[in-house]
Structures are given as C-alpha cells and as structure tokens.
Amino acid sequence: MRTADVLVVGGGIAGLSVAARLAGQARVVVVEGESAPGYHASGRSVAFAHYGLGNEPVRALTALSMAELAEHGSVHPALHIASIGEIAALDALEDVHREYGCDFARIGCDEARALMPALRPEACVAALVDHGSLKLDTNAMLQAHAASLKAAGGTLVTGARVHAIAREGDGWRVATAAGDVAAPILVNAAGAWADVIAQMAGVTPIGLQPRRRTVISFAAPEGEDVRTWPFTKTVGEGFYLLPEGRGQLLASSMDQTPSEPCDAAAEELDIAIAADRVEQATTLPIRRISHSWAGLRSFAPDELPVIGEAAGAPGFIWCAGQGGAGFQTAPALSAIAAAATLGLPFPDDCLRAGLTPETFAPARLGA
Ligand SMILES: Cc1cc2nc3c(=O)[nH]c(=O)nc-3n(C[C@H](O)[C@H](O)[C@H](O)COP(=O)(O)OP(=O)(O)OC[C@H]3O[C@@H](n4cnc5c(N)ncnc54)[C@H](O)[C@@H]3O)c2cc1C
C-alpha cells in the first residue's frame, strides 16, 4: 500500500495544479482514473483566458492568474459583440474591463468587422475588444504541473480509479484500481465526479451540477489565414468562435445541458445549433464539420468554486466547481487550495482582491 501526506483524487488541471504547489512541502500522490491525465474536462476546453465569463470572484481569480498564465499563453484579442438589444450587457462588460485595468477599446461595427471580417453587420452594432486576453497551451500547463510534481518527489498514478474511501484513524484509506493509498489529507479534485467522491467518503455533497458544452471545428474560407481573427463572443446568448491554426475555426453555441458525470460526447442537435448560430451571425459557410466534441463544466449551485475543508470531515479538502474557467483561474485557485490543504493562511494577494476563505468555503453550501 502507498502512503502519502496528501492524496489528490483527479489528474485534471485542478488536481495537478494543486499537487504541483504542494509537492515541495508534502509527500503528494495524485490518483487519476483514466490512463492519462487531462482526459475529461481539462482535455476538452477551448483554452482561452478572458473576462467575458463568470461572476465577480471568478473574474478576480482570473486577474490574479493572468501573469502566471502568460507563461503558457500568447496574447490574442477577444472581441465581445453586441446586437441591438444587448448594449446594456456590453456596457456592464466594459465596466469589468475598466475595473481590471484591461487594455481594451469600445468599438463600432465597422471596426469590429475590420478585426473579424466574416461578421454580418446586424450581428454586431457595438463591440469591445480586449487586447490582453490569452490563448493558452493547456496541454503544456498540464505537463508542466505533472513535471513539477515529479521533480519535487511526488507521484501521479494513472489507471487508478477510486472505488472506495474509508476513514482510517485520523486519515483516509482509498481503494483504487491500482492499489490502496493511505493519507491523512484527501484533496477532492475529481471534476464532475467530486460529489461521487464525497459520497464514497461519507461527506455531504455540494450539489455539483455538471453541464455539457459542445465544440465544433470546421474549415476556414478557402485561402483565408484566420490565425489573427479574434476570439469572438456574443455578450448574450449566441456563440463563440476562434481560430485553431491557419485554416480551422472552432465554435460553440455555449450550450450548458445538465448531465450526469460521464465521458461526454457531442450530440447531433447541439452540433447543428452551433453551426446554425455561426451561419446566422457570419458569412462563414459551414459545409462540413471536421470534428466535434463535448465536455462537462461543473458548477456549485452558486457557480463559485468550492475550496476548503468539509465540515465534520477533517482532512477532506474540496477543490471543485471550477465551471467554465478552470484553466484561467488555476494559478490563483491552486494557491488557495494548497493553503487550505496545509492549514496555512489564505493567500494575501487574494485577500487584497476582496476574496476571503468564506467566498469558497463548502460551509456556504451546507457541506
Ligand atoms: C467545451 C469546454 C470549453 C472550455 N473552455 C475553457 C476555457 O477556454 N478556459 C478555461 O479556463 N476553462 C475552460 N473550460 C473549463 C475547464 O476545462 C474546466 O474548468 C477544467 O478543466 C476543470 O478541471 P478539473 O481538473 O476540475 O476536471 P477534469 O479535467 O474533469 O479532471 C477531473 C479528473 O478526475 C478524475 N476522476 C474522476 N473520478 C475519479 C475517480 N473515482 N478516481 C480517480 N480519478 C477520478 C477524472 O478522470 C478526471 O481526469 C472549458 C470546458 C469545456 C467542457
């Protein structure tokens, strides 16, 4: 049987980023059920960091994370577009960009179409361009965390699906497909399965809601190099669109269909809706979908991450509910989770940004 100071369940961005932070200070073992890390949500994102999503704490976490994210990202503009009825939403987003000191500009339809030539005029009466958004290399982020974990003496065990968790003395004994692991502290970073892990441990669940999101990929217009096209997103319901290399585009209708935790797959109707929304708002003809996929974004009832020790279960640390921003918040969230795991003070920079342990504590959800 393996032993560790800290056992992390889940080898996605949440688990690997906190494990890498802890590894210099504790003996860390990460158990991942799949044969490779990043198979679920973390392998299915569109790898972008921007201020056009989430609530206030999520934006604060994003701002705190941007410098570290830049190590694995390149600056790429985000174009937030508004139709005639969406000006108030664009105004609110402009306030957010101002608050966070972003390098942005409010622009009109013609300027927006100069940046994104395929936009139909009626789809965009006004827009906001953020010049400081980041296109992330999420695979490099995952690999870098796995390498840091290993370099500090930690271990990532793949093919180690957890199937039972028992209290043993003051700690936890976890049965996995690759053998048992015992540790005084368990970090629950199991993504969509975080409530399943809690129930195995006899811990009150947080009411986590996995939601399926679909992405399609299709060829850019013949001969058009789309690499400089911005990440383009409607401020309200609609779609987002971004370049993937020289000749491909990715798009999503930003669907969020409630789902059980599972190996999510794209459904025909969701693929068709994504294609239709792009065709309605742009002049892009989608003749063939090159590729499509879906992944689960998992939310607590209040759509805030859940980080901290479970009430009545000493040594059970939640690190869940990253929703649609798990990469762009990982630097700050992993620092908060590492502090909670080691019983250290809440990070100063997070306090200065107006965040507190209570913002993320499972106690707010009765867990
Ligand atoms: C389509 C899409 C687009 C997205 N775009 C972005 C974006 O542009 N920017 C951004 O920041 N975020 C984005 N996200 C969100 C981001 O991908 C997630 O917030 C993040 O990946 C969540 O990471 P995680 O580690 O919590 O979950 P996961 O990556 O799902 O990791 C959890 C891991 O736990 C493992 N596990 C579960 N149960 C067990 C068990 N019993 N035993 C062992 N292991 C177990 C799973 O196998 C899995 O590998 C997007 C998500 C989707 C789906």
Side-chain angles (χ1 to χ4, degrees):
M1 184 181 69
R2 288 176 198 271
T3 60
D5 299 325
V6 180
L7 168 66
V8 178
V9 180
I13 186 60
L16 289 178
S17 58
V18 71
R21 283 205 195 276
L22 291 167
Q25 302 162 75
R27 283 182 309 133
V28 180
V29 171
V30 179
V31 289
E32 165 53 49
E34 303 292 345
S35 58
Y39 175 81
H40 289 286
S42 300
R44 305 178 191 202
S45 91
V46 296
F48 210 78
H50 64 99
Y51 288 93
L53 85 170
N55 43 32
E56 192 49 42
V58 167
R59 286 175 170 138
L61 291 166
T62 301
L64 289 163
S65 298
M66 277 295 195
E68 195 176 318
L69 289 171
E71 291 169 25
H72 294 294
S74 51
V75 174
H76 193 96
L79 180 68
H80 300 281
I81 59 172
S83 62
I84 193 98
E86 294 172 334
I87 299 301
L90 191 68
D91 291 344
L93 192 59
E94 183 175 344
D95 290 343
V96 167
H97 282 73
R98 192 169 295 112
E99 181 187 342
Y100 288 106
C102 301
D103 174 13
F104 77 96
R106 179 78 175 246
I107 57 176
C109 177
D110 291 347
E111 288 165 285
R113 292 179 71 212
L115 294 169
M116 211 313 216
L119 268 184
R120 290 188 197 277
E122 61 274 20
C124 173
V125 296
L128 182 154
V129 58
D130 175 7
H131 299 288
S133 310
L134 295 174
K135 174 72 185 150
L136 305 172
D137 185 340
T138 50
N139 187 44
M141 279 176 77
L142 293 169
Q143 296 305 328
H145 291 313
S148 302
L149 169 70
K150 201 170 162 196
T155 310
L156 166 65
V157 189
T158 54
R161 180 159 307 282
V162 172
H163 54 81
I165 302 176
R167 259 288 183 208
E168 190 171 76
D170 290 339
W172 304 98
R173 185 180 177 122
V174 174
T176 86
D180 287 9
V181 188
I185 301 177
L186 184 159
V187 176
N188 179 10
W193 290 266
D195 267 351
V196 176
I197 293 296
Q199 278 159 330
M200 275 188 209
V203 168
T204 307
I206 54 173
L208 194 70
Q209 169 78 91
R211 299 180 195 160
R212 188 179 68 242
R213 174 152 294 179
T214 310
V215 180
I216 60 170
S217 155
F218 56 96
E222 189 74 33
E224 188 101 46
D225 181 353
V226 295
R227 281 174 297 183
T228 58
W229 285 14
F231 172 89
T232 301
K233 181 178 185 294
T234 53
V235 290
E237 195 180 323
F239 70 99
Y240 63 64
L241 177 71
L242 69 159
E244 175 80 334
R246 190 186 174 86
Q248 286 284 311
L249 292 158
L250 301 181
S252 174
S253 69
M254 303 190 281
D255 50 330
Q256 34 185 350
T257 310
S259 168
E260 291 301 308
C262 65
D263 188 354
E267 298 200 356
E268 287 306 322
L269 181 61
D270 296 327
I271 294 170
I273 292 171
D276 181 58
R277 293 211 179 155
V278 171
E279 288 190 319
Q280 294 287 332
T282 71
T283 54
L284 296 167
I286 305 183
R287 297 208 173 82
R288 197 177 72 84
I289 307 288
S290 324
H291 184 48
S292 61
W293 71 88
L296 299 179
R297 301 152 79 248
S298 297
F299 293 87
D302 59 4
E303 302 202 348
L304 282 173
V306 184
I307 312 286
E309 189 164 41
F316 188 97
I317 310 293
W318 285 95
C319 183
Q322 289 81 355
F327 280 98
Q328 67 180 52
T329 57
L333 268 189
S334 59
I336 294 171
T341 304
L342 298 174
L344 297 173
F346 195 74
D348 269 344
D349 58 347
C350 298
L351 281 175
R352 283 195 300 274
L355 303 171
T356 66
E358 291 70 36
T359 316
F360 304 109
R364 74 184 198 273
L365 303 166

